[in-house]
Amino acid sequence: MITGLTGDSVIRFARGVRLQHDRVRERWIIQAPERAFIPDPVAAEVLKLVDGTRTLGQIVAELATRFAAPVDVIGRDVHVMVSDLITRQVLVA
């Protein structure tokens, strides 16, 4: 996991990266320069909340409410996923 990533960290997509819905295939795609990723449905729900203004804590709270799940469980999972995507240069904090 990324050191220094906290609930107050504002998460956004890296320059040139975006989340796009493929209406033909009915799935979300992360498009980046010279590469693309297909996130699983859970990751797509997290990424749809990444807007460059929400903090990691706000994203976790929204997901916990939306899915009626414990904040600490959602928080750990989202932190691991966001850390991985920061390492892959898809997200920045």
Side-chain angles (χ1 to χ4, degrees):
M1 289 196 298
I2 301 292
T3 305
L5 188 61
T6 69
D8 293 330
S9 299
V10 176
I11 308 301
R12 62 182 173 83
F13 285 96
R15 184 178 174 154
V17 178
R18 66 181 183 196
L19 180 67
Q20 182 176 350
H21 188 253
D22 181 341
R23 290 186 180 109
V24 174
R25 292 175 187 84
E26 286 300 316
R27 65 180 172 196
W28 289 92
I29 299 171
I30 301 169
Q31 293 189 334
E34 300 183 26
R35 60 192 170 140
F37 302 94
I38 299 172
D40 66 46
V42 173
E45 289 300 317
V46 175
L47 293 170
K48 287 191 283 185
L49 296 175
V50 173
D51 61 6
T53 62
R54 286 187 177 109
T55 65
L56 185 59
Q58 290 170 323
I59 291 170
V60 168
E62 171 65 28
L63 292 167
T65 300
R66 188 180 295 179
F67 296 107
V71 172
D72 59 330
V73 173
I74 295 266
R76 277 192 307 270
D77 293 345
V78 170
H79 193 279
V80 168
M81 187 195 91
V82 167
S83 293
D84 179 55
L85 292 175
I86 288 172
T87 301
R88 292 181 184 206
Q89 299 178 331
V90 171
L91 297 176
V92 294

